Amino acid sequence: MKSGWIFAAAMALAACGQSPDVPQDSDIVATDGSELETADAGQLAPASDYVAPDYAKLSGYDEGWYISPGWPGEYPAGFVVLDEGVTLQGGARPNPAAPRDKACTLPRLANYQLWNYPRVSADKLEFFVATKTFPVTLTQDAAVEYVSDAGSMQTLELKQGDQLNYLRYLGEGFAILSFGGTEYDINEAELIDITDIQDSKGEEDEWVRVTCADGSQAWLLYDEVVAVPGIAPSPITGYGDASDISADQVDSIRFDAEVNAAAAAEAANQPFE
């Protein structure tokens, strides 16, 4: 379960020079082995006969969680298998309270990432994220910009004391928040000085259903997977680009993962400013 300052993601992206453009949210691709169609954005779209599972019903999260397909971030997370014979404990149900009673061995060099389309299709992978929702209260009257369905910027007029409901992070600093039963794509940076969003912590669970070496399937929780020896976060090679890794990449990916883990641990012990 990921936990931390929700709004910090937007600030970190800005510091890294990420584009402020409206994000393209990551969609589930076809997983039934049928031919994939090409989307205008240069990504693959679901084949016309693909029907995504009802993740909310399947997972059993309560109403305090927002369930949606894909994983968040303009570069969604993933993980690679560095060693032979890596076996994980998964479950039949994607919920933190469900038992992890399914031993699942994964193939070496496999990359479990949304953009690795051959792996997604061959292994019938399914990705979804469960986000713990929380209220965001306006501390003053404000006009908040949001992205309309047509892609243009519109304005939401809000009053001091109005409450938005934080539903999910998207990418490029944008998140989905609801107000009055309507969902809006809003840049988190706009909310920092006019709401109490800095006082809130967010939690999200990233789940993937994988096909194990024996042909069975299991649901895995990302944070649990990357803590297993022989597993490392997927390398970033370019926007929309991912594939299984090669044997000569293993040492460098393992080294980078160790360096990044040490840096993250040190940052976690520092006060947030």
Side-chain angles (χ1 to χ4, degrees):
M1 174 180 292
K2 291 188 175 181
S3 177
W5 296 100
I6 285 287
F7 79 96
M11 303 308 293
L13 290 171
C16 292
Q18 296 287 354
S19 167
D21 295 341
V22 177
Q24 296 291 332
D25 196 18
S26 300
D27 293 325
I28 294 293
V29 303
T31 60
D32 58 1
S34 58
E35 183 177 358
L36 298 177
E37 302 168 353
T38 302
D40 293 339
Q43 300 187 19
L44 296 182
S48 58
D49 59 351
Y50 172 74
V51 178
D54 184 339
Y55 298 114
K57 181 178 180 180
L58 179 67
S59 60
Y61 281 85
D62 64 34
E63 294 181 354
W65 292 78
Y66 183 80
I67 311 300
S68 53
W71 282 4
E74 57 277 16
Y75 290 86
F79 60 91
V80 292
V81 184
L82 303 179
D83 299 331
E84 196 72 45
V86 173
T87 299
L88 305 169
Q89 289 301 124
R93 186 185 186 199
N95 187 292
R100 313 290 200 275
D101 52 6
K102 167 61 181 173
C104 182
T105 301
L106 298 180
R108 184 173 185 252
L109 308 181
N111 183 10
Y112 296 88
Q113 209 272 353
L114 277 167
W115 294 333
N116 187 6
Y117 303 117
R119 174 68 58 184
V120 170
S121 180
D123 284 8
K124 296 180 171 59
L125 304 183
E126 294 285 353
F127 297 80
F128 81 88
V129 59
T131 309
K132 182 70 172 177
T133 65
F134 60 88
V136 176
T137 304
L138 272 289
T139 56
Q140 62 187 64
D141 295 353
V144 177
E145 286 191 329
Y146 66 92
V147 184
S148 72
D149 291 340
S152 62
M153 299 304 295
Q154 303 292 329
T155 300
L156 181 63
E157 298 290 340
L158 298 171
K159 299 292 186 180
Q160 181 178 356
D162 282 346
Q163 279 195 338
L164 302 164
N165 193 31
Y166 192 102
L167 301 181
R168 168 191 165 134
Y169 182 68
L170 291 172
E172 299 280 3
F174 282 79
I176 302 176
L177 295 96
S178 65
F179 179 71
T182 301
E183 296 182 2
Y184 300 92
D185 293 358
I186 297 174
N187 192 329
E188 292 182 19
E190 283 201 34
L191 303 176
I192 292 176
D193 294 329
I194 61 172
T195 73
D196 63 351
I197 192 171
Q198 298 188 56
D199 299 329
S200 302
K201 289 186 177 181
E203 301 175 9
E204 63 183 16
D205 293 343
E206 294 173 330
W207 290 94
V208 59
R209 189 193 68 190
V210 300
T211 297
C212 312
D214 63 2
S216 63
Q217 294 181 323
W219 284 96
L220 304 175
L221 183 60
Y222 174 78
D223 283 355
E224 294 178 352
V225 171
V226 292
V228 173
I231 298 287
S234 298
I236 296 174
T237 56
Y239 184 79
D241 179 50
S243 63
D244 285 353
I245 63 173
S246 60
D248 60 7
Q249 292 178 281
V250 168
D251 288 343
S252 62
I253 291 174
R254 196 191 309 273
F255 175 78
D256 289 344
E258 292 171 352
V259 170
N260 291 336
E266 181 178 353
N269 293 326
Q270 301 298 319
F272 184 82
E273 298 180 358

